[in-house]
Amino acid sequence: MRKILPYLFICVFALIATDAFAQKHVQDARLANHYFQQGEFEKALTIYQKIYKRDPNGAYTNYVKCLTGLERYSDAEKLIKKHMKKRPNVPKLTVDLGVLYEEMGDRERAEKQYEKAIKMLKPNMQTVNALAKNFINMQEYDYAIETYHTGRRLLNGSYPFHFELAE
């Protein structure tokens, strides 16, 4: 029993420390989201930068939005491209770059990115749906339709996306 007691103590201490760390992370995320929703991008950005170091994928979207809200376009572009290098086959990241270009007022470059994202699609129904819904949320309905048509072709007609196109 005496041999087990130190290990038990270490386990309990580790659980308490982990819980405290998780609570701090949740508090940071809530505060950052609060500032973000209030349009206080500078305050939110500071917190998202800390969160991003711990959880790059979890903080990515709002981090980019804060940068664009502050018109720090080159920083946002670097961040998006960094994610694109790590995950080159994710069409959403290409769309994110297009959205940034759109925000910068360069519709032509944005459209090139949207087309590139559609060309990146693989024969996977979930990926097709996710990209199309991304375009729908952006009110880029023509690109959503093109995504569904491309998905239909890639899936060899096994899922024709009739319901999605009807919406």
Side-chain angles (χ1 to χ4, degrees):
M1 184 68 173
R2 288 183 182 212
K3 291 181 181 180
I4 296 174
L5 194 58
Y7 294 111
L8 185 62
F9 177 74
I10 291 170
C11 288
V12 169
F13 180 76
L15 286 173
I16 292 170
T18 303
D19 186 52
F21 179 78
Q23 286 180 357
K24 174 69 174 142
H25 183 68
V26 168
Q27 288 173 342
D28 284 349
R30 284 184 183 152
L31 185 58
N33 290 336
H34 172 74
Y35 287 139
F36 178 80
Q37 290 169 351
Q38 298 301 314
E40 297 181 57
F41 299 124
E42 196 68 52
K43 290 179 182 178
L45 180 65
T46 304
I47 300 169
Y48 282 128
Q49 287 171 329
K50 284 195 292 185
I51 296 171
Y52 182 81
K53 288 177 184 173
R54 292 186 303 238
D55 181 16
N57 293 327
Y60 165 79
T61 301
N62 285 351
Y63 188 13
V64 170
K65 288 180 181 179
C66 282
L67 290 169
T68 57
L70 294 168
E71 297 182 4
R72 292 175 52 181
Y73 299 125
S74 63
D75 291 338
E77 185 175 19
K78 286 176 191 172
L79 183 63
I80 294 168
K81 287 183 176 181
K82 178 180 174 181
H83 275 260
M84 290 172 75
K85 281 184 183 176
K86 289 180 184 176
R87 300 170 62 201
N89 298 323
V90 178
K92 184 205 178 307
L93 298 173
T94 305
V95 171
D96 289 347
L97 187 59
V99 169
L100 175 65
Y101 292 150
E102 187 96 38
E103 187 83 18
M104 294 168 60
D106 194 343
R107 177 71 182 172
E108 187 175 318
R109 280 175 73 189
E111 288 178 347
K112 286 180 183 177
Q113 294 303 311
Y114 301 156
E115 294 289 335
K116 183 178 175 182
I118 294 170
K119 289 177 184 171
M120 291 170 66
L121 282 173
K122 303 285 186 236
N124 178 301
M125 192 171 83
Q126 289 82 10
T127 306
V128 172
N129 273 322
L131 183 61
K133 291 205 183 307
N134 200 355
F135 284 129
I136 290 167
N137 291 337
M138 297 165 42
Q139 298 182 350
E140 293 286 351
Y141 302 114
D142 291 337
Y143 286 110
I145 291 169
E146 187 177 341
T147 300
Y148 286 130
H149 286 296
T150 300
R152 179 188 296 169
R153 184 177 42 77
L154 289 171
L155 292 167
N156 295 321
S158 65
Y159 188 82
F161 296 102
H162 291 307
F163 294 112
E164 293 82 357
L165 286 164
E167 280 185 29

